[in-house]
Every structure is written in structure tokens, then in C-alpha cells.
Amino acid sequence: MFRRTFWFTAGAAAGVWATTKVNQKIKQLTPESLAAQAAGKAVEAGHRLKDFALDVRTGMVRREAELGEALGIEAPSARALPPAGPRPARAVETGRASGGSASRRRGPGPGHGPGRTDRPSNEHNRNNEHNRNEDH
């Protein structure tokens, strides 16, 4: 009788332990969890890549200084490397390349009628290598 109770308890404990492990693994394999794991690994890889780039940059500056000292050339201070921080975002240009504005257009508007001046015609762009309307 004592043996049966022992093995019943051991089996129940093993079943609870196995169920818990299976549920944990299932939670790890959900799409949300996989996405979070991938994002975490990507961030970690980015940090390692940034650290590597900073080490390379430091070694490069050190080696340039050694070579400059060995050759008797003093490196100009104006060639200092830019800061390693994040780059500022570029402002998006909203104007046309020619500096024109919408108020300078003539006619009823873009794409309407013969007075359209917002874009040059194809006749004027025949020598333009980026013109997609030419025969190849």
C-alpha cells in the first residue's frame, strides 16, 4: 500500500512538472514571443556591431597616430572623426529641384491642359539618361 502511494505521488509530481515545462515551451513559441525574441537578438546584435565599429575607429585613430609619429607627419586636427553618436535626421525637401513653387505654375493646374509647366515634355529630356520613355 505504501509503495502504491509513493509511486502515485511521484507520477503526479512528474506529470505536473512535465505539464509546466510543456506550457512554458508553448508560450515561448507563440508568434508574439518569437517576435520579441527576434527583436531582442537584433538589438543585441546592433549593440555588438556598434561596439565593434567603435573599437575599429579607436584602433584606426591610434594606428594613424603611430604612423604619423613614425613618418614625422603630424595629423591635422581638422580631420578629427565625427562623434560616434546617432546621426541627425535629414530634413525632407519638399520643394522642386529648380527652386520653383506652386504659385509659379501657369494654367489650370498640373496635368490639365496645354499650359502645364510643372514637368518638362519628353522632347526636352531625350538626352536624359534617366528618361524611361526612350527606346533601348
Side-chain angles (χ1 to χ4, degrees):
M1 176 87 166
F2 184 70
R3 277 184 161 179
R4 287 183 185 176
T5 306
F6 171 76
W7 287 114
F8 176 78
T9 307
V16 169
W17 177 80
T19 303
T20 303
K21 289 295 182 181
V22 167
N23 285 335
Q24 286 176 350
K25 192 55 87 173
I26 288 173
K27 285 181 183 178
Q28 287 178 352
L29 296 177
T30 60
E32 296 85 15
S33 179
L34 290 174
Q37 289 174 10
K41 287 183 181 184
V43 168
E44 182 181 326
H47 288 305
R48 279 189 271 146
L49 186 62
K50 181 181 175 186
D51 291 342
F52 173 73
L54 291 174
D55 289 344
V56 168
R57 184 178 290 210
T58 303
M60 181 179 66
V61 169
R62 188 178 309 137
R63 183 66 178 148
E64 280 185 5
E66 290 172 5
L67 290 173
E69 186 177 309
L71 296 173
I73 302 171
E74 187 165 330
S77 61
R79 277 193 63 208
L81 292 171
R87 294 180 182 167
R90 291 184 180 183
V92 177
E93 294 183 22
T94 57
R96 289 180 15 203
S98 64
S101 65
S103 63
R104 297 174 71 186
R105 292 183 185 143
R106 284 179 252 129
H112 296 86
R116 189 175 125 206
T117 61
D118 63 328
R119 194 175 342 151
S121 68
N122 287 338
E123 292 177 19
H124 300 285
N125 276 339
R126 285 196 178 157
N127 294 328
N128 185 356
E129 64 186 68
H130 300 294
N131 185 1
R132 295 183 183 189
N133 293 326
E134 66 183 31
D135 294 328
H136 293 282

